[in-house]
Amino acid sequence: MSHLAPSNRRLRLCISATVHGLGAAALAITTTGCGDDSTDTVPKDCYELADGSCVKETFENPKTLEPNAEGVYELQLQPTEFMLDGKRHCGRGYNGQYPGPTIDTSAAKPGEQRKVRVNLRNGFSKNDYQPVSDDPDEVCTCVDTETGETCASHAHGGSSTCQCTTTEGETCHVFDFNTTNLHFHGSHVRPDYASGGGCEETDKLGCRTCSGDSLGVRECFHSDNVLSRVGPSEGVQHRYDLDEDGLHHAGLSWYHPHIHGTTAIQVAGGAAGAWIVRGPLDEIPGIKNARERIMVLTTPPTNYTPLEDGEPCDEDHITFNKFATLNATPNGVNPQANLVNGISRPRLVMPPGQIERWRIVDASFLDEAQLVIFKGKDSNCESLDLPAGPVPLTQIGRDGLALPKPADGKDWPFAPPYMFLSSGYRVEAMLDGSKLSHGDTLCVMSARALQADTTGTTPGLVGSLTPPTAEELLKAAGNGDLLAIVNVTNAAGTPSETEMPDLTLVAAESPSMMLQNGQTDALAKCEQVRAVNDLNLIDQLSALWLLFYNTEGLDKCGFEDHSINAKNFESTDREKYPYDRVLSKGAVDHWRVVSGFDGHPFHIHINPFLVCPLPPAGSSDPNAVGRLFEPPFAHWRDTYLVNLNRTADFLTEYRAFTGDFVYHCHKLTHEDHGMMELLRICDPETEACDQLCDGQPCNWNSCAPGDDNCERGLVATKCLLDPLGYCPEAALRCTTCDGEQSCPVEAHCSEAPGLDDLTRCVPGCLTADDCAIADTCNAGSCEPAPCGPPCMPPQMCIHGSCE
């Protein structure tokens, strides 16, 4: 392209950055006439750059959803068309938009408690049952064990006697991809229903009972009820009482479906949108008038078959409809595109000096990414200025919560050279345009950070262990994309804000570190819990995807893959364990989270958690590696990736609300596979909270009496963190005792088979035959049993008797 001075050119070129394909060098530039110099008329969407070219700004914030005449937001899940690599696709989205429209909640007025109403409608007219399997050729058939008739998986409202198996007889799971619900990710509201009633069922929009009793009157609005099911042609009414527990935190959240077994396929197909809650943070000078960019990042797989020419996007032609395709990894790299607000490589235009607020939602369904900004040597990012190094963004918020300033001031302001993102993350950051000049170009790169060992043979840690260089980040971007282009030009006009905010004012908006009405110092408690090594003293231990053997399906110990503490959400016996954990209202719990395989973003609903500080830089503690990814000082989150062989310590206060909700891995395919737990916050002043699981406590280290399979999983979980203390017992409990195999001494064979129909050993004895010949069985334990007087030959002393 010629770079003549503007006065010597009769035609400037208007360059669009809506391009497709991978790699910065693969840019396909489209040009159109941009006006005649002699007329001095330039279209307002055409900005002249320092090199004489003229570009169109293709970046747009998602459309803002306006409430109806009654002040209610209307969301409808429906077939939604979008472009991917220049081809038409059809997914399940909201209101026909990809991504969904932004819900923008205004700041509370004095004395006001905001009650945000959302009507969710399911625009599909029929069911679409599909197997949740990584095998694209798997055939899964569901039969009712009592009637012998075909059935629907009970997780979506079918019979509890519905059993689904493959042609090989292995258990599989089938879900209705057209059933949905709604999750307000990042909200601190009631988990089940809004209090006070007032909901009237009308226009196929359902309400729910206020007590949770299915026999009660349906007069309450759903709140953040992710256990609800909205089938085709159905609808429900939600109300989110944001300020019921004091002023709701201001920041960036998002919304998406959360229907077990169907979440990943719906989110990957476009069902996600930003949700902004306004507040005092937005009024801080430097933020109030900054240009606000909302960026919903999605990573749709590129290996779905697109719509044919003339083929409509309707419920009979959904292209994103095979679960296995979400996980396809040819050559070990997920073939996924990187879209910003549904656009590939949008172009942003800004004047020099402009302060911008970037509000980023990682609405991907699986893998992590590192976002890094380099200056471009040209206006189209065909060549990067690597020696200049990355251009940092100053982060002011995570997961809708303002970042605090640590007391020692270290690592603050938090402006690392790259930004680490995992599914469900929200990052709010300031771009300091005062450091940018006319003619500058910023190139936003997405460096994919695949965490999983796809071979199962890696002996060391999976993921980065040392800070990446600029060249390494660029190399990693080969697994990703040029995400966006930012051009700085005088033609963009006058900046709306030229001063960065006082970050101490921002930090003051962070939630308090004093919990339980000032009675508990969270930072001091972090120091206490960090030193806890006795696993039985940990309030809540969560081992994400515990596998002793890297296999698909059941491993050699009988555990399902995608499990938490060796239990899978789908196969948990809900009669024995109606909840996986019961938590006490008003309590502060210490959670220790560990990953046994791969890296997993831990996400808990309703109450955010405080991430305890990471070990100092240079520490031999393996958790110090977390500094490569996260703010190292204590801060509040609701989603946090815990990588392989590392642990994280969190503190959570269960304030104000009781009810049922979940936590899970936010790699959404993992969640759909069953990597989730059902929780209940219980008020001990009004309920028998320690008797809700078959008359026993519901806790991570509690099993129903005689449940050997639960005990086996519990010991295996402890083995992950304390190998010397628990792994010998875990190995014993994993030993099968079917057929000719028998258990070693001081152990016996369990009467209850596992999910694989194999029985395994259990410590202790039932009879003397389970003990060494010099011992006998007494109340389940083998004890010495000498014969007296001594046995006369040829008799021998066996289990205390001469035989």
Side-chain angles (χ1 to χ4, degrees):
M1 181 184 295
S2 174
H3 293 274
L4 299 176
S7 59
N8 295 329
R9 303 178 66 206
R10 298 294 298 169
L11 179 68
R12 293 189 297 275
L13 296 180
C14 191
I15 303 175
S16 170
T18 306
V19 296
H20 303 277
L22 295 176
L27 289 170
I29 305 298
T30 58
T31 63
T32 59
C34 215
D36 192 318
D37 285 337
S38 62
T39 65
D40 290 328
T41 59
V42 178
K44 64 180 181 179
D45 62 349
C46 194
Y47 299 93
E48 186 172 357
L49 304 183
D51 63 5
S53 63
C54 189
V55 301
K56 178 180 180 180
E57 183 168 32
T58 58
F59 174 89
E60 290 182 332
N61 286 335
K63 293 181 180 179
T64 300
L65 183 63
E66 297 297 332
N68 63 21
E70 287 73 40
V72 181
Y73 294 98
E74 297 278 354
L75 282 178
Q76 176 165 288
L77 187 79
Q78 63 187 65
T80 300
E81 184 173 313
F82 59 96
M83 299 297 292
L84 182 59
D85 278 353
K87 300 175 182 178
R88 297 166 54 239
H89 278 271
C90 188
R92 298 170 178 85
Y94 293 113
N95 298 8
Q97 299 176 33
Y98 184 104
T102 298
I103 297 177
D104 196 329
T105 302
S106 300
K109 298 176 182 178
E112 174 192 50
Q113 289 192 15
R114 290 166 293 181
K115 301 178 184 294
V116 182
R117 284 186 55 188
V118 178
N119 288 341
L120 173 67
R121 301 177 188 269
N122 189 334
F124 287 83
S125 65
K126 54 189 175 183
N127 305 106
D128 183 11
Y129 293 105
Q130 299 276 355
V132 172
S133 169
D134 295 336
D135 182 357
D137 299 320
E138 181 175 280
V139 177
C140 192
T141 304
C142 299
V143 177
D144 193 297
T145 56
E146 293 184 353
T147 66
E149 299 178 354
T150 57
C151 57
S153 175
H154 69 273
H156 277 188
S159 169
S160 61
T161 58
C162 186
Q163 188 172 69
C164 302
T165 56
T166 66
T167 52
E168 289 78 22
E170 297 179 352
T171 298
C172 57
H173 302 296
V174 171
F175 297 95
D176 179 11
F177 282 7
N178 285 348
T179 292
T180 193
N181 61 13
L182 186 65
H183 172 41
F184 181 177
H185 183 138
S187 62
H188 176 61
V189 295
R190 290 177 179 262
D192 35 30
Y193 58 88
S195 63
C199 184
E200 297 181 3
E201 296 191 336
T202 179
D203 194 21
K204 296 184 179 180
L205 289 168
C207 306
R208 61 157 291 162
T209 60
C210 298
S211 64
D213 182 356
S214 61
L215 300 179
V217 179
R218 301 169 66 87
E219 62 178 5
C220 266
F221 293 95
H222 292 257
S223 187
D224 195 41
N225 180 15
V226 299
L227 302 178
S228 65
R229 296 186 296 268
V230 184
S233 301
E234 296 178 348
V236 294
Q237 302 178 64
H238 287 264
R239 195 184 79 202
Y240 302 95
D241 297 347
L242 296 187
D243 307 310
E244 185 175 359
D245 183 32
L247 187 67
H248 196 282
H249 51 265
L252 178 63
S253 296
W254 64 306
Y255 64 90
H256 61 82
H258 205 295
I259 186 75
H260 175 58
T262 301
T263 302
I265 201 74
Q266 293 187 3
V267 171
W275 191 322
I276 295 173
V277 177
R278 304 282 178 180
L281 178 68
D282 302 278
E283 298 300 313
I284 293 175
I287 292 179
K288 181 176 182 179
N289 294 321
R291 179 169 184 178
E292 185 171 284
R293 309 266 195 181
I294 301 169
M295 303 179 181
V296 180
L297 309 185
T298 54
T299 57
T302 61
N303 50 347
Y304 281 106
T305 303
L307 293 171
E308 296 181 0
D309 291 342
E311 194 171 34
C313 175
D314 57 31
E315 61 182 305
D316 295 320
H317 298 90
I318 301 294
T319 60
F320 276 56
N321 216 38
K322 288 292 183 183
F323 185 89
T325 307
L326 296 177
N327 293 295
T329 56
N331 302 320
V333 178
N334 285 14
Q336 298 171 14
N338 290 285
L339 304 183
V340 181
N341 300 340
I343 299 176
S344 175
R345 299 178 183 172
R347 186 184 296 269
L348 294 71
V349 179
M350 61 180 289
Q354 176 68 58
I355 304 300
E356 295 202 348
R357 181 186 189 182
W358 287 13
R359 313 187 80 165
I360 302 171
V361 179
D362 188 336
S364 65
F365 66 93
L366 187 59
D367 286 321
E368 294 78 41
Q370 290 164 319
L371 297 191
V372 56
I373 301 176
F374 292 110
K375 282 194 173 183
K377 292 183 178 180
D378 57 84
S379 60
N380 297 314
C381 293
E382 293 176 332
S383 180
L384 305 179
D385 187 0
L386 295 182
V391 177
L393 293 171
T394 301
Q395 298 184 28
I396 62 171
R398 287 295 194 101
D399 294 358
L401 297 141
L403 284 177
K405 180 180 180 180
D408 59 11
K410 292 182 179 179
D411 303 301
W412 186 89
F414 189 61
Y418 56 88
M419 179 187 297
F420 180 80
L421 295 173
S422 188
S423 175
Y425 276 33
R426 286 94 66 216
V427 177
E428 301 194 58
M430 305 300 297
L431 174 63
D432 187 358
S434 68
K435 302 181 184 301
L436 301 175
S437 304
H438 175 63
D440 281 342
T441 295
L442 302 182
C443 309
V444 185
M445 308 297 295
S446 172
R448 299 296 294 282
L450 302 181
Q451 300 291 323
D453 169 19
T454 58
T455 67
T457 59
T458 300
L461 297 178
V462 177
S464 302
L465 296 177
T466 56
T469 64
E471 290 79 4
E472 288 171 337
L473 282 170
L474 183 61
K475 182 179 179 181
N479 285 337
D481 210 347
L482 169 65
L483 195 65
I485 301 170
V486 182
N487 294 128
V488 183
T489 173
N490 291 330
T494 303
S496 60
E497 178 61 72
T498 58
E499 297 290 335
M500 286 282 283
D502 182 345
L503 296 179
T504 59
L505 298 179
V506 175
E509 294 300 322
S510 178
S512 173
M513 301 280 180
M514 297 299 295
L515 310 178
Q516 296 178 307
N517 296 319
Q519 300 301 308
T520 299
D521 184 333
L523 293 179
K525 190 170 180 65
C526 277
E527 290 296 319
Q528 295 172 3
V529 302
R530 193 202 315 265
V532 174
N533 293 316
D534 185 343
L535 304 185
N536 296 300
L537 298 180
I538 295 175
D539 298 324
Q540 307 295 336
L541 176 63
S542 178
L544 303 175
W545 197 348
L546 176 67
L547 276 182
F548 278 79
Y549 303 88
N550 183 20
T551 62
E552 294 183 2
L554 299 176
D555 65 16
K556 293 182 180 179
C557 206
F559 302 138
E560 292 181 272
D561 59 7
H562 300 91
S563 63
I564 296 179
N565 289 10
K567 295 192 300 183
N568 184 279
F569 182 82
E570 181 69 15
S571 59
T572 297
D573 184 342
R574 291 301 172 195
E575 291 187 4
K576 289 182 178 178
Y577 307 102
Y579 307 102
D580 294 292
R581 306 174 197 235
V582 169
L583 315 167
S584 295
K585 177 185 174 183
V588 172
D589 270 354
H590 164 219
W591 286 71
R592 179 162 293 169
V593 184
V594 59
S595 176
F597 182 81
D598 196 0
H600 303 282
F602 172 93
H603 170 54
I604 193 166
H605 293 200
I606 307 304
N607 295 291
F609 51 82
L610 182 80
V611 182
C612 290
L614 292 172
S619 169
S620 59
D621 189 319
N623 292 320
V625 180
R627 287 174 162 267
L628 297 176
F629 309 100
E630 309 289 358
F633 46 83
H635 65 289
W636 291 91
R637 298 285 286 276
D638 62 47
T639 310
Y640 191 91
L641 184 122
V642 181
N643 216 332
L644 181 66
N645 283 6
R646 297 169 212 160
T647 61
D649 288 309
F650 306 142
L651 298 180
T652 303
E653 180 180 7
Y654 312 120
R655 284 172 27 199
F657 308 129
T658 59
D660 304 348
F661 62 107
V662 297
Y663 85 90
H664 56 91
C665 171
H666 214 282
K667 290 185 177 181
L668 298 180
T669 53
H670 295 186
E671 174 197 326
D672 284 338
H673 270 304
M675 204 170 175
M676 181 162 68
E677 283 194 350
L678 179 60
L679 311 179
R680 177 177 178 82
I681 296 181
C682 175
D683 187 348
E685 294 187 0
T686 61
E687 300 177 81
C689 299
D690 60 351
Q691 299 179 27
L692 297 182
C693 283
D694 201 22
Q696 303 291 322
C698 309
N699 201 0
W700 73 270
N701 56 0
S702 298
C703 291
D707 189 346
D708 294 331
N709 288 316
C710 173
E711 292 287 353
R712 176 160 40 91
L714 178 58
V715 174
T717 300
K718 294 180 178 181
C719 165
L720 187 65
L721 283 172
D722 186 357
L724 295 178
Y726 292 96
C727 285
E729 182 182 345
L732 168 65
R733 288 183 177 272
C734 287
T735 302
T736 57
C737 49
D738 294 279
E740 296 181 357
Q741 283 187 286
S742 61
C743 296
V745 294
E746 300 192 32
H748 63 278
C749 196
S750 172
E751 296 181 358
L755 292 172
D756 52 7
D757 292 326
L758 298 176
T759 53
R760 290 175 169 81
C761 296
V762 178
C765 59
L766 292 179
T767 68
D769 290 338
D770 299 326
C771 302
I773 60 173
D775 298 335
T776 191
C777 184
N778 183 15
S781 299
C782 293
E783 298 178 353
C787 293
C791 299
M792 300 297 293
Q795 290 184 319
M796 297 179 59
C797 184
I798 301 176
H799 305 312
S801 299
C802 293
E803 298 181 9

